[in-house]
Amino acid sequence: MALSGVRVLELAGLAPAPLCGMILADFGARVVRVDRTPYAAISTDRQGRGKRSLALNLRRPPGAAALRRLCCAADVLIEPFRQGVMEKLGLGPEVLLQENPRLIYARLTGFGQTGKYARSAGHDINYLALSGVLSKMGRKDENPYAPLNLLADFAGGGVMCALGIVIALYERTKSGKGQIIDASMAEGVAYLSSFLWKSQNLGIWDRPRGENILDSGAHYYETYKTSDGKFMAVGAIEPQFYEKLLKGLGLDSDELPSQFSYSDWPKMKKKFASIFAQKTQAEWCSIFDGTDACVTPVLSFDDVASHQHNKQRSSFIKNDEEEISPRPAPLLSRTPAVPSLQRDPFIGEHTEEILLEYGFTKEEIAKLYSDKVIEINKPKANL
């Protein structure tokens, strides 16, 4: 795979850092998740695909020393703590990069390593708010709303950090040197919103929130409930697509207001809603599939893997515990991702194996174990 041979140490954290590590693992990197000890009975990382687990107590000097030694043989370190935490442990980038100048030290935080909020707690909704993106989200006359925690945590955080790591790895092929990545979720999601900033003079976002084409204002960019309680998504922006939408709905454009007549959008939404409510989702799919009306079913997690298009592309995979999840994207023609189909690792499952691989002796491992610096959690066989 594309990242085969790349050694990654991912310090266990929540949401965005695990996604970053999973992306790298999916494309071939050997990712070690460094779990905290004493550990909880169940890991909070639901994105451990393809990773191995090392349980290590970084708050103990021998544990911090062990991580420093691991970093000497690693290519990438992903750390998800607030500004200053790693420095207190003696594991800041100035220490680790001095010992391994080729190390890519990726720091993934909500607000970044500098600035007023650098040491402040926060979550996706806070990063969205600070980026300006949240102010654009929500329906007319309603408060702004956060769309789950996908945008800042995962897109602006995990994905952007993975991109930064790959960029730094590529640059290292020329310079031979590692570097520090300051990945801020607030800045990452702001960068994702570049189109919003660049398109402000195009007339797409010049009306109040919830009254524009792409923010639930337009009747031709909306979701509608079907007779069986499901939904259809409509995105017929261009006039030629809008015509096909009207045809599928049994409407004549000559008898309707102009598509871009803002004042008529609320009335047209009610008309569309009454029509969509007359048929089931499957019936609407039979009408619109194969057309350019830009109308698709809103699929539930239960239905998405069995949809014909997704089945044809094998867009979803199933692991050895019958759990379904999305296949890695994008597809590479020569070196595609080959995601692990094994269950996620137990905390501390590979502690001994990893330390041996990184040059620790069995005696050193036994000492760390007896001093309760590491934990070994080998799964028991079901007999």
Side-chain angles (χ1 to χ4, degrees):
M1 287 185 277
L3 298 179
S4 179
V6 176
R7 283 181 160 190
V8 178
L9 299 173
E10 173 202 318
L11 302 187
L14 298 175
L19 174 65
C20 179
M22 189 182 78
I23 291 170
L24 301 179
D26 282 342
F27 285 88
R30 291 178 61 81
V31 180
V32 171
R33 189 183 68 206
V34 181
D35 286 301
R36 305 175 193 181
T37 64
Y39 57 81
I42 301 175
S43 171
T44 57
D45 178 9
R46 309 314 299 166
Q47 299 164 106
R49 185 170 65 205
K51 303 175 189 177
R52 293 180 295 163
S53 171
L54 161 67
L56 181 64
N57 189 341
L58 296 179
R59 289 169 294 185
R60 298 274 303 281
L67 183 67
R68 285 176 60 176
R69 188 166 160 187
L70 290 166
C71 287
C72 287
D75 296 291
V76 178
L77 173 69
I78 304 171
E79 70 98 346
F81 308 129
R82 276 185 261 172
Q83 193 266 341
V85 171
M86 290 292 278
E87 283 77 2
K88 288 181 181 178
L89 296 172
L91 298 169
E94 66 285 344
V95 174
L96 299 187
L97 280 167
Q98 185 174 3
E99 296 176 351
N100 178 7
R102 291 176 54 82
L103 182 67
I104 309 297
Y105 194 118
R107 318 195 78 169
L108 177 52
T109 61
F111 298 112
Q113 297 299 310
T114 58
K116 180 179 179 179
Y117 290 167
R119 294 176 181 263
S120 298
H123 285 293
D124 186 287
I125 193 169
N126 306 115
Y127 314 140
L128 273 180
L130 200 67
S131 73
V133 175
L134 187 59
S135 70
K136 297 289 186 181
M137 296 182 171
R139 292 184 178 274
K140 181 180 178 181
D141 299 326
E142 294 183 9
N143 293 352
Y145 73 88
L148 303 177
N149 67 326
L150 289 173
L151 284 182
D153 276 358
F154 295 108
V159 175
M160 285 294 187
C161 188
L163 174 63
I165 288 169
V166 172
I167 291 170
L169 285 169
Y170 174 72
E171 191 281 335
R172 195 181 70 174
T173 64
K174 296 181 287 185
S175 68
K177 297 178 181 179
Q179 57 183 305
I180 304 164
I181 298 171
D182 181 359
S184 155
M185 295 175 222
E187 290 173 353
V189 73
Y191 189 34
L192 280 174
S193 72
S194 293
F195 172 74
L196 306 186
W197 291 88
K198 298 287 187 177
S199 62
Q200 290 184 87
N201 60 348
L202 296 181
I204 300 176
W205 309 105
D206 57 350
R207 298 176 64 81
R209 176 169 43 79
E211 297 183 24
N212 299 281
I213 294 175
L214 300 177
D215 65 0
S216 79
H219 58 293
Y220 50 87
Y221 202 87
E222 181 60 283
T223 58
Y224 293 97
K225 195 172 186 177
T226 58
S227 63
D228 54 347
K230 298 182 180 181
F231 295 89
M232 299 297 290
V234 174
I237 299 174
E238 292 81 355
Q240 66 271 28
F241 301 153
Y242 184 67
E243 280 297 322
K244 289 181 168 56
L245 167 64
L246 295 181
K247 181 180 179 181
L249 294 175
L251 296 172
D252 185 346
S253 60
D254 292 335
E255 300 174 356
L256 299 172
S258 165
Q259 175 186 356
F260 301 105
S261 174
Y262 293 107
S263 61
D264 291 303
W265 283 0
K267 178 177 67 176
M268 289 301 296
K269 275 195 179 189
K270 291 180 180 179
K271 180 181 286 289
F272 278 20
S274 66
I275 296 174
F276 272 107
Q278 296 171 16
K279 289 182 172 62
T280 66
Q281 187 186 72
E283 288 173 326
W284 286 119
C285 286
S286 68
I287 291 172
F288 286 113
D289 280 2
T291 74
D292 279 341
C294 302
V295 179
T296 51
V298 178
L299 299 175
S300 69
F301 273 28
D302 291 334
D303 299 331
V304 67
S306 60
H307 187 273
Q308 187 178 15
H309 177 80
N310 294 332
K311 284 177 66 176
Q312 290 171 348
R313 286 184 57 82
S314 301
S315 299
F316 292 82
I317 57 177
K318 188 179 293 186
N319 69 8
D320 58 9
E321 294 187 326
E322 299 298 302
E323 294 175 336
I324 296 174
S325 62
R327 185 198 61 200
L331 286 176
L332 303 183
S333 64
R334 286 192 304 102
T335 57
V338 182
S340 171
L341 299 181
Q342 296 180 352
R343 59 161 174 78
D344 288 1
F346 296 130
I347 292 178
E349 181 175 352
H350 308 95
T351 297
E352 186 175 11
E353 169 189 318
I354 292 165
L355 291 175
L356 287 170
E357 184 181 299
Y358 274 76
F360 287 74
T361 66
K362 288 191 174 183
E363 292 74 20
E364 288 173 321
I365 295 171
K367 172 66 171 168
L368 290 171
Y369 181 73
S370 65
D371 290 343
K372 296 184 179 181
V373 175
I374 61 172
E375 295 193 30
I376 298 173
N377 181 25
K378 293 183 179 179
K380 296 179 176 63
N382 293 321
L383 300 178

